Amino acid sequence: MSKISRRDLLQYIGAGGIGAVGGVLYGEGVQRKVELLIPQVIPPEDYSPGVATWYNTVCNQCSAGCGITVRIREGQAKKIEGNPVHPVSQGRTCARGQAGLNVLYNPDRIKTPLQNVGQTGAGHFVDISWDEALTTVGGRISRLKIEGKASSVRLLTGQVRGHLDELFAQFMGLLGSEHYQQYDFTYPGTIRAANRISFGVDQLPYYDIKNADFLLSFGADYLGTWLSPVHHSLAYGHLRQGRAGQRGKTVQIEPRMSLSGASADEWIAARPGTEGLLALGIANAIVGAGRYLGSDRDQWSNALQAYSPSVVSGKTDINEDIILRVAKEFSENKSSLAIAGGAAAAGTNAVATVVAVNALNYLAGNLNQPGGAIFNSNSAFSATSSSNQASFQEMLELIDAMESGEVEVLLVNDTNPVFSLPDNVGFRKAMEKVALVVALSSFHDETTQMADLILPTSTYLESWGDDVPDPGVGFPVASISQPVIAKLYDALPVGDIVLQMARQIGGELPVSMHWASMEEFIKDRWREEYTSRAFDGEDQDFEAFWRAALEAGVWGQPGAMDSGPSVPSSASMIAAITDPESKFAGSESDYAFVLHPYLTATFLDGRGANLPWLQEMPDPMTSVVYGSWAELNPVTADEMGIREGDILDIESPAGSIRIPALIFPAIRPGVVAIPIGQGHAEYGRYAKDRGVNPINIVAPLMDDQSGDLAWAATRVKVKATGERLHIIKTGGVSRTLGRQILGPANDHA
Amino acid sequence: MFDHGQPTYAEVNKDILSTMLETGPKYWILLGSTMSLAGIFFFMPWIYQLFVGVGAAGMNHNAVWGTYLSNFIFWIGLSHSGTLLSAVLHITNSPWRKSIYRSAEAMTLFSLITAALFVMVHLGRVWFVHWSFPIPNQMGLWPNFRSPLMFDVMAITTYLTASTIFIYMGSVPDFAAVRDASTGLRRRLYAVFSFGWRGTAREWHTLGWAYTFFAVFVIPLAVSVHSIVSWDFALSAVPGFHHTIFAPYFVTGAIYSGTAGIVTVMYCLRKFLNFERYIGQVHLDSLGKLLIALSLIWSYINVLELFSTWYGGTSFELEALSFRMTGFYAPLYWEMILFCAFVPLLMLTRKIRWSWNKMLVISLLINIGMLTERFIIVATSQPRKFLPDAFGFYVPSWIEISITIGSFGIFMTLFLIFIKWVPSISLYEVKETLKPLRRDA
Amino acid sequence: MSISVLEALEPAKKPAMLVLMVVVGLFVGAWVHGKYFSDRSPIQPIEFSHRIHATDNSIHCQHCHIYADKTPVAGVPSVSKCMGCHNSLPSVRESTEILKLATYWENREPIPWIKVHDLPDYVHFTHKRHVKAGLECQECHGPVETMDRITRVATMRMPWCVDCHTERNVEHGRDCLTCHK
Amino acid sequence: MSTIVEKFRQYRKPGYYEKFDYHWTMTIDLDRCTGCEACVVACQAENNIPIVGEKQYALNREIKWIRIERYWEGEYPNIKMNFMPMLCQHCDDAPCETACPVFATYHNQDGLNTQIYNRCIGTRTCAVYCPYEVRYFNWFTYTWDEPLEQQLNPDVSVREKGVMEKCTFCIQRIRIAKDLAKDDDRRRVRDGEVIPACVQSCPAEAMLFGNSNDPEAKVTKMMNNSRGYTVLEELNTTPSIVYLKKAHS
């Protein structure tokens, strides 16, 4: 190789230098970014990093009262599962229960007390301190109390059970206001009323689906939304495959196939509002065919003679031999059970319908029998009252009171009447007339929007409380809910807010409501219960019992089957049978369709709409996500030339909405079904301005016996607007196209 | 074989080298526009996609493969006739090859590069693409040799290398010619390129021998490459992909579109570099005949596919087929049938076969047809597989469309650069075809 | 064969040489960086010396890193733990570093230690299994008890893990799911 | 070389996995399934599955490791609905495994069809080859609105853009169970010690999970039920999930 000139050498060195610099820079580039290692300042005792701990508490996503257990790691809640030892959930959870974590960690939670500075409803809120907030409320109320206008203070809350209910009652009682009411759209008031009439007991029996052989459901979506879905699902699984060589049968009667209808062996779409008639028709067939051998069969046949299958068949538009067959199966099976709920129990005939269904249970002789309707003798705790539940009628009275200015202070806790009452009854407008509306809520919904003062409440995963599941599980049960993580934000558990308000108001309130915190109150009450009633089987001292109860999250007496009321005489039942045919708002000629709003397993009455997981969960029946839709029968749709996604104008005597159409093969022609839950004007980023709320066009009819809202008794007219909208759903082609996906066709195992 | 009388050796050099040595503003404008086409339509959207994720494209859960892959196949296909054709024709030593094979091979090279780029664009995490090469690494992890994609990586890289060598070797004497015709830096550069070619008998002999060897070597390679590409699809169970006919189908399609591509390129060379003298009727005619033959084979295979599907009679295949023929993309399907099966039949008449303009139109139509063919294969089959409830749908997003357009920019840019660096017609082979001249002429 | 390649390549020699130099430079630069400027031994907020604790006062590792044999993470001692001892050590209470500690404690602030042994988030390493398998801390962390400032001796990268798993033929030790999930 | 040949020969042999400790298997009783989708949300909670948002959902980019498929039968009024939980079948002869060029997905000794996120380069071939369409691609790097990210499960990696993901049979839970088994010097995990999130949540107890190499395991017994079948049997993927056909009274 020839010798290198000086100039070249320098160039080579230069090149090398450039390379070296590049190399160093590369090294800098690939270097990991600095991570910090932050130690605890003072480690909590039950803390070890990387290992999960589980805390038991109670789910509050619906009123079933499932026991849940929450997985905690490094002080954060990671997962909700069913509490294995809890008799209601038995270790299982529904989708809504799982999504409880979205409630806890929801980005749209209210973080501090807020005061409305603009005019009502405008939503100009400013942060204030708790002292400020509490003094405002406390001062106002105590003044009213002194002026002797305590009864102008109203407390409206969502369904509350256990000792929180007692706390509320005590608070209002001491205040001297008799106006403590609960309002929950899903509350089965009609069923209770019917049971009062038929059996003389004001409670929900334990429907022992688990041991039933034949389940006849009149509109009750027991797997999705009715009373205690998780418990019912467990029971359903057992009914199907739990017993060797014996598979229970289920029949569902409803105009639009619900989750339970989908799982039923037989789905019967009776004409809406005639479910009660059908029940009586079946009863008639049973008695008529001499399958009921009670001493009182003559009275029954007299009472039922007007409802011969042929007549009923005509009215319900159900083939007569179907009625006869169902009647046969119902009476022949060892343990048959009939339940009613959903739309069937939400007509102007709701109570009459449920009474008719109760009659069926009586005729099947399943009362207080395994696989039948078993009555709890509310023996768990004294604290399960339903007396405070406001019917629709009572809500109307409240609205009048507000309108007429009788209401000075309205305390609203964890309920959203502005959303779950029809627009036309004017709850929203009435709120403007109230001098001081105080909303206790974790989220910003339509009702808090109208408030003058918002007190942020901690979620159920951060609060103390207890609960007695209703309906029970056949034996005494009570569950404790405890905070599973340190509370987020500057919010307080409802109970603590009440106690603090009591302190603010002064007088005898703080004296008798002396507890420092909800925790203390609950523990105190449990001590009382513990001492007052000899808890058989617990011979240890209270502290030990308390610790055990906390650990288990539930206390109960399995095996100690309740001795419910003895089977009542049929006289009252027979007397109670009235013609159960629902009346509808709007004439059939002008309003061709029956509106069938239904609770969804996803959002229930809309309280789940702000949870992203639920928004992203495909609707079980239609696989639609994000938004709402109106279901039409394919044939009807064809006749009207409507395709999926056509925006419909649905008009009822009470108002009208615009909503995209969805062709749903399992719905009765002449019925248009709309899910409840979407259509929030407020309620956080995930729910706001999404879909429509069918309750708004529900005519304010009510059941004439219970005074509950007849939300399934509205007729509507449907017409296409010509506009279209892309309905988001996961399902592609929902037919098997002859492919053997659901199993080999040949064998019938 | 020369339409306008036979040129002298000197003229050949002059005509062809002038295209390299003399560069007018037209060229720069053209180059600039193609480069900006590539930059704006291909690279900018791609960079955007790299930042946000492949979600920028229109693909979704049911159609995870999209336009990127169909374009990948298209470009691989386009690459086919270049090297393959030139090799075949070289062995069968048909004289009319000599003036077109250089640019044909260049076409191979550049469409392969474009195709490779599409793989990169397709990948979700292209920054880890090296994991798919069998490079020894500390993690002790190797690629999965059972994966058809792995076959692909192998096949394409081999093919790329082989055709590069092939074209380079073929142009060594011409590099020498350039060296002799030029001065200064270029001269030194081409001295390197030409490996100091001096044109001794020995060198000529070695070259000829090596060239023939490579020609033979490249043919099976070319065939294998597209067969392997087809296996990416055929090895899956997806209805519409799962056909044993796929390998020959793809190869035929590839050569088909490639040949059509050559016609287009010929046309351009002729027009813009005025090579009328070297690229003449005879080439057009023979290419035309070749195209007819290919189109017939192609149609046959399509019919065969329909038949085997119908005969197989499984719900899956039938559904896939019926969707292809009557579903949303049916218009595209029939357009493909029209352009690739019927339009070429026009070339049966000499009038059309001998007209440059008509041939240009036909060749373009064929390639449009082939482009859509690949798109249909990808877009209609895999969104509708076995579980009807999971049936989905695919429409390309604007990003995919723009990248597709941009890819042509890349191809053209490379080609434009090529014609300035390599004699786009083989000097020495053209000279071989010249009748020897009298000394005193 | 007599193609005169060599002299033909003559003009290419210099550019080639330059490129070569750049490449060589790259490697040198990268090596230098790794050797002298890497993140293997960062300066910590408190100049904590493992030598003083582990060797001079022969405190056992798990006296401070209490979770090492119980949980996936070894755990860095809480500030209260540090103070627990140092309150009762008048000898060193006045030294500057201990005063730093004291201030953290008084402000009830955690000490922002800089992580030296850091793994990517998709690696789910567990100390517990390794300690229970009888590994000495030093096998991965090096002779910590001799270090005044903690320094990473191992690369803590996948090949390093895999090699060890292979040598000791850990049951299914090379299954990806052993660490990645 | 011979060893490799040997290995592949073994691989082909049916029952190859039986020489290992576990063959994780799931049974789904369609007669119990009510389509309530508790499993869907449970999975989302357990496995850090992103909230893709309405826009992406509309483009069909949702991520659901387990989904419920719906199949109608007949027409009104005699119409029936069939629910069909669909998740990764962990096939013994999985089409996806041959597809991946970088071994990001392969079959491990526990009969699991693995998906190694940090190895995936995103060719998406596995998803095309999968007949069950249960592989989901991360089209973007998804984020969680503050403070939702506090819920993320630290035992599961959060996936970045450009990688494929799918059901892992809750590998993190399997690992924890194995870890505990090792603690008390057991070689094997006992039946019922590992329960994936979906199985755990199922309110109708339709799902069952266990080691089918253990003849005593509940799942093994359930597999042999006369109603048992595997989906798309004709494709010979030999799935690890056995469905129990809907029964009739």
Side-chain angles (χ1 to χ4, degrees), chain B residues 222-257:
Chain B
V223 173
S224 75
V225 168
H226 223 57
S227 314
I228 285 170
V229 170
S230 79
W231 294 342
D232 290 351
F233 297 84
L235 287 187
S236 77
V238 178
F241 288 179
H242 191 48
H243 293 298
T244 41
I245 195 73
F246 249 42
Y249 182 34
F250 271 47
V251 173
T252 319
I255 301 170
Y256 190 23
S257 65

Side-chain angles (χ1 to χ4, degrees), chain A residues 353-373:
Chain A
T353 302
V354 183
V355 167
V357 173
N358 285 342
L360 274 179
N361 281 327
Y362 178 88
L363 292 174
N366 67 16
L367 296 176
N368 289 337
Q369 298 300 320

Side-chain angles (χ1 to χ4, degrees), chain B residues 417-437:
Chain B
I417 295 169
F418 160 81
I419 59 175
K420 284 296 162 192
W421 285 85
V422 185
S424 39
I425 290 184
S426 168
L427 293 165
Y428 67 94
E429 296 209 35
V430 168
K431 288 173 187 164
E432 284 172 15
T433 61
L434 300 181
K435 290 179 218 66
L437 296 164

Side-chain angles (χ1 to χ4, degrees), chain A residues 537-552:
Chain A
E538 278 95 9
D539 41 14
Q540 79 271 58
D541 69 323
F542 173 71
E543 284 305 324
F545 164 72
W546 176 247
R547 268 196 306 283
L550 268 187
E551 203 171 308

